[in-house]
Amino acid sequence: MSGLDNGSEPTILVCYGSSEGQTATVARRMRTALENEGHRVTLVDAAAHPADLEVGSFDGVIVGASIHGGSHQRPVTEFVRTNVDVLNRAPSAFFSVSLTAARETPAQRAPARGYIEEFLETTGWDPDATLVVAGALKYSQYGRLKRLLMRFLAGRSSGDTDTSRDYEYTDWEDVESFAREFATLLEPPTGSTG
Ligand SMILES: Cc1cc2nc3c(=O)[nH]c(=O)nc-3n(C[C@H](O)[C@H](O)[C@H](O)COP(=O)(O)O)c2cc1C
């Protein structure tokens, strides 16, 4: 872990997987929130990260993925499995984006937390913080079959079936405060002098 050793601001890696772009937007929003607090952030797509990315060189790592057919993106699972030892040593956090998280009642939303628990169990990762994020229905990005499927599912849940528009359920304040809260894990303990 490098940034704190030489007295400079902490460095944070934000690595995400995203199929229709919402998780990428969440990751970018976290980057902005962290940069506004003076942190240095590297943002990478798990499906296309540089081969020489040194996860252990960051002071903290945030990983995010979205749910499709009940699972998070495979490249994110692989990224976490490959780097699990570093992630378990460093301050780390995981967020999971889904439509289950946008459901109306706590009982309906409960499986969204189950997705996180399953992911952590299969990867062996024990992050310091986790966040369930309500995603988006992006009819404009779906092909014909996917649009029909998502409209059908929406008809049985949110009722947001107008395929001429997109629907976004993400709580951006929650996203930003999660990132800021994570950053406090990286700060030197109060009373330590430089
Ligand atoms: C084909 C498809 C399958 C999905 N499956 C699930 C699912 O099983 N559970 C769920 O909660 N959300 C599901 N979603 C909703 C996505 O998690 C949600 O749209 C999220 O915002 C996608 O994020 P992304 O744009 O970063 O990929 C699905 C979406 C699509 C398009």
Side-chain angles (χ1 to χ4, degrees), residues 13 80 149 160 191:
L13 174 66
V80 171
L149 169 71
D160 292 337

Side-chain angles (χ1 to χ4, degrees), residues 28-40:
R28 281 195 295 270
R29 192 64 86 98
M30 285 190 181
R31 173 179 64 180
T32 304
L34 292 165
E35 285 177 346
N36 287 345
E37 299 284 307
H39 304 295
R40 281 185 291 150

Side-chain angles (χ1 to χ4, degrees), residues 22-143:
Q22 192 67 8
T23 311
T25 306
V26 172
R28 281 195 295 270
R29 192 64 86 98
M30 285 190 181
R31 173 179 64 180
T32 304
L34 292 165
E35 285 177 346
N36 287 345
E37 299 284 307
H39 304 295
R40 281 185 291 150
V41 180
T42 298
L43 184 70
V44 297
D45 181 339
H49 68 75
D52 60 353
L53 183 73
E54 279 191 41
V55 179
S57 70
F58 293 89
D59 296 306
V61 184
I62 300 177
V63 177
S66 60
I67 292 288
H68 288 75
S71 301
H72 295 96
Q73 281 86 4
R74 190 182 293 266
V76 178
T77 309
E78 280 166 12
F79 173 85
V80 171
R81 280 213 175 109
T82 304
N83 296 290
V84 71
D85 291 340
V86 172
L87 291 172
N88 279 335
R89 278 197 305 272
S92 64
F94 179 57
F95 67 92
S96 170
V97 180
S98 67
L99 283 179
T100 303
R103 297 292 303 272
E104 207 170 327
T105 69
Q108 289 169 336
R109 290 193 297 273
R113 194 134 285 284
Y115 292 139
I116 291 187
E117 279 159 19
E118 196 183 319
F119 180 83
L120 300 183
E121 203 171 310
T122 51
T123 55
W125 183 22
D126 182 21
D128 298 283
T130 58
L131 180 70
V132 159
V133 179
L137 252 181
K138 296 197 171 177
Y139 289 119
S140 64
Q141 314 252 340
Y142 306 149

